[in-house]
Amino acid sequence: MQNSTSKNNLKAIALYLPQFHPFKENDEWWGKGFTEWTNVTKSKPKFKGHYQPHLPTDLGFYDLRLLDTMIEQAVLAEAYGVYGFCFYHYWFNGKLLMENPLEQMLKSKKPDFPFCLCWANENWTRRWDGLEADVLIKQEYDLKDDLEHIQYLMPFFKDERYIKIDGKPVYLMYRSELHPNINEAVKIWREEAKKAGFEDLYLIRVENFKRDFDPKGHDFDASMEFAPDFSIPLQKYSKKEPINHFFRKLLHKTAIKENGLLANKVFDYEEMVDKMEKKAPKPYKYFRSVFPSWDNSARRAKDATVFVNSSPEKFQEWVTKTAQYTNEHFNGEERLFFVNAWNEWAEGCHLEPDQQYGHRYLQALKNGLESA
């Protein structure tokens, strides 16, 4: 399989969730046979015109224990201009979660498609159903573990498919600020990479919680914008029609009729895109991100975050502008940006084809890259 890049070597990397297969811990926590599809398929609309459930077409309700699924995903992604996948990686003091798809990919050398890893280093909680305080696996840190962790990762870094910048394996960390000794950990990681024959690592911190922070403060090389950027103030969608909003609120508060627009955080996708596009450049390396749509109501009975009015047309326009920004601000192999996400189905955030839009978001990505 040939790597897919746009005419100017721009690389769009899609975030990838490996949660779509049963495993022991999910069976214990959520019930036998639980996968991400469990939440996706039981989702229902919460207000008039609300698009739920998001149901897949081409790839069906797949199981990532089947290598053929990952091969098909790579073929589809490559056809529409995705350069590679960034897989979320779950490590808790030597305990791994959802590692089977990645280890199978490493061992089999299939699919022949570029990839990198992002350490999702938060506590594993019941946050997905709104119970953030209920910790299932705590993320704890020590430097001995940091050494063991990087040694576990080294076979991935050495894989010829692994995404590198100037020969340096690209490794992301979701929340570098949670590690109390991050600078010492980074020193260990870089030293081990050099011992393994690399010139260095290329470390990217995801900027989703600790913001406007120079990644060099943690000895990282760059930051990655998280999309959607929840720090941006937005008008609640229900308030865009003041008279209707008043009556909805009255009925909702008096419990005559619970209103999904008020029981959840509903915003306008177009407003978020316009505001993210207008963000000023950072004084440090900051890779930009886009998202096709967002709706995590499949995971939350109430207080979900939903963006309405997303469309392939608006997404394409955003991809074009983000690609242009990346070309202007980066050179060589640093010309990359991220797409959230390839398959976050329970967050309504996926490039994979669904029954409502088919391939239209994938085509929008390809068109946006080609027009940059």
Side-chain angles (χ1 to χ4, degrees):
M1 184 183 296
Q2 292 295 311
N3 296 354
S4 176
T5 58
S6 61
K7 60 191 175 187
N8 46 26
N9 294 320
L10 186 75
K11 297 171 183 175
I13 299 173
L15 301 179
Y16 183 115
L17 180 71
Q19 168 87 316
F20 296 90
H21 65 290
F23 54 93
K24 180 172 72 74
E25 291 82 4
N26 261 356
D27 284 351
E28 292 168 3
W29 296 330
W30 308 100
K32 185 73 173 170
F34 177 91
T35 74
E36 196 76 347
W37 297 123
T38 308
N39 288 331
V40 169
T41 54
K42 68 185 182 186
S43 186
K44 293 181 172 62
K46 295 190 180 294
F47 49 87
K48 187 178 179 182
H50 181 205
Y51 168 39
Q52 278 292 347
H54 287 226
L55 300 175
T57 51
D58 297 39
L59 300 169
F61 298 104
Y62 54 76
D63 184 331
L64 290 178
R65 292 174 298 184
L66 299 175
L67 187 60
D68 284 351
T69 293
M70 296 183 78
I71 293 170
E72 286 182 47
Q73 287 174 319
V75 168
L76 185 61
E78 194 268 344
Y80 285 96
V82 176
Y83 174 77
F85 291 141
C86 178
F87 294 102
Y88 282 117
H89 155 67
Y90 299 85
W91 169 282
F92 301 85
N93 303 93
K95 179 174 178 58
L96 291 153
L97 284 185
M98 295 178 274
E99 74 280 8
N100 286 349
L102 306 189
E103 291 185 352
Q104 179 178 248
M105 177 193 69
L106 183 70
K107 186 177 178 182
S108 68
K109 298 290 184 185
K110 293 176 181 176
D112 181 12
F113 193 62
F115 73 94
C116 61
L117 299 176
C118 175
W119 183 19
N121 65 304
E122 294 182 302
N123 292 335
W124 188 274
T125 70
R126 291 185 177 270
R127 171 171 56 89
W128 289 351
D129 62 0
L131 298 171
E132 248 169 281
D134 192 350
V135 176
L136 301 171
I137 301 184
K138 188 171 173 56
Q139 184 68 261
E140 296 180 299
Y141 302 92
D142 68 69
L143 298 179
K144 180 174 177 289
D145 180 66
D146 292 322
L147 176 61
E148 291 171 1
H149 188 184
I150 203 71
Q151 289 172 341
Y152 168 80
L153 292 171
M154 211 55 70
F156 292 93
F157 294 165
K158 289 179 177 177
D159 191 284
E160 61 187 14
R161 297 165 294 174
Y162 199 87
I163 296 169
K164 300 173 179 76
I165 291 176
D166 301 325
K168 302 169 188 175
V170 172
Y171 184 52
L172 288 80
M173 186 170 179
Y174 188 62
R175 295 193 65 181
S176 64
E177 72 277 4
L178 294 182
H179 195 310
N181 299 301
I182 187 61
N183 300 82
E184 291 89 340
V186 167
K187 187 179 178 186
I188 290 168
W189 295 343
R190 292 190 187 279
E191 284 173 357
E192 287 299 303
K194 289 169 186 172
K195 281 183 198 172
F198 297 110
E199 182 184 330
D200 208 336
L201 293 175
Y202 195 102
L203 297 176
I204 303 173
R205 69 178 298 271
V206 179
E207 190 168 306
N208 194 18
F209 292 87
K210 187 178 179 69
R211 301 171 185 279
D212 298 315
F213 173 76
D214 191 327
K216 288 177 182 171
H218 287 169
D219 295 320
F220 276 57
D221 299 281
S223 289
M224 180 200 113
E225 176 182 42
F226 187 84
D229 183 341
F230 292 112
S231 72
I232 292 175
L234 299 172
Q235 184 181 18
K236 287 262 183 89
Y237 187 70
S238 61
K239 291 184 178 178
K240 297 205 171 191
E241 300 169 353
I243 296 173
N244 287 343
H245 174 70
F246 172 78
F247 286 112
R248 279 195 206 105
K249 199 168 182 180
L250 186 65
L251 292 169
H252 181 71
K253 279 193 166 182
T254 55
I256 294 170
K257 183 182 180 185
E258 179 172 287
N259 192 287
L261 280 172
L262 300 176
N264 299 282
K265 298 186 282 276
V266 184
F267 303 106
D268 190 326
Y269 176 83
E270 295 197 354
E271 183 186 358
M272 172 60 89
V273 170
D274 292 343
K275 289 186 173 178
M276 286 187 71
E277 283 178 351
K278 291 182 173 73
K279 283 164 68 171
K282 305 280 187 183
Y284 47 82
K285 286 183 180 175
Y286 183 69
F287 296 111
R288 303 306 294 268
S289 295
V290 297
F291 71 103
S293 55
W294 179 281
D295 178 352
N296 65 6
S297 60
R299 286 183 178 159
R300 290 172 176 263
K302 59 182 179 180
D303 203 32
T305 301
V306 179
F307 284 88
V308 295
N309 292 338
S310 58
S311 66
E313 293 74 23
K314 188 67 175 179
F315 179 61
Q316 179 177 323
E317 173 194 307
W318 192 15
V319 169
T320 300
K321 289 179 181 175
T322 304
Q324 290 168 344
Y325 175 97
T326 303
N327 285 328
E328 288 168 18
H329 290 83
F330 291 94
N331 298 303
E333 292 183 353
E334 288 183 317
R335 276 191 173 142
L336 55 90
F337 71 93
F338 292 86
V339 183
N340 186 28
W342 176 255
N343 63 342
E344 285 275 12
W345 283 90
E347 290 182 345
C349 182
H350 51 87
L351 286 173
E352 284 184 334
D354 65 6
Q355 293 180 17
Q356 177 97 343
Y357 291 98
H359 288 222
R360 287 175 61 198
Y361 277 99
L362 281 166
Q363 188 64 51
L365 175 73
K366 186 177 185 183
N367 293 348
L369 287 166
E370 289 176 348
S371 61

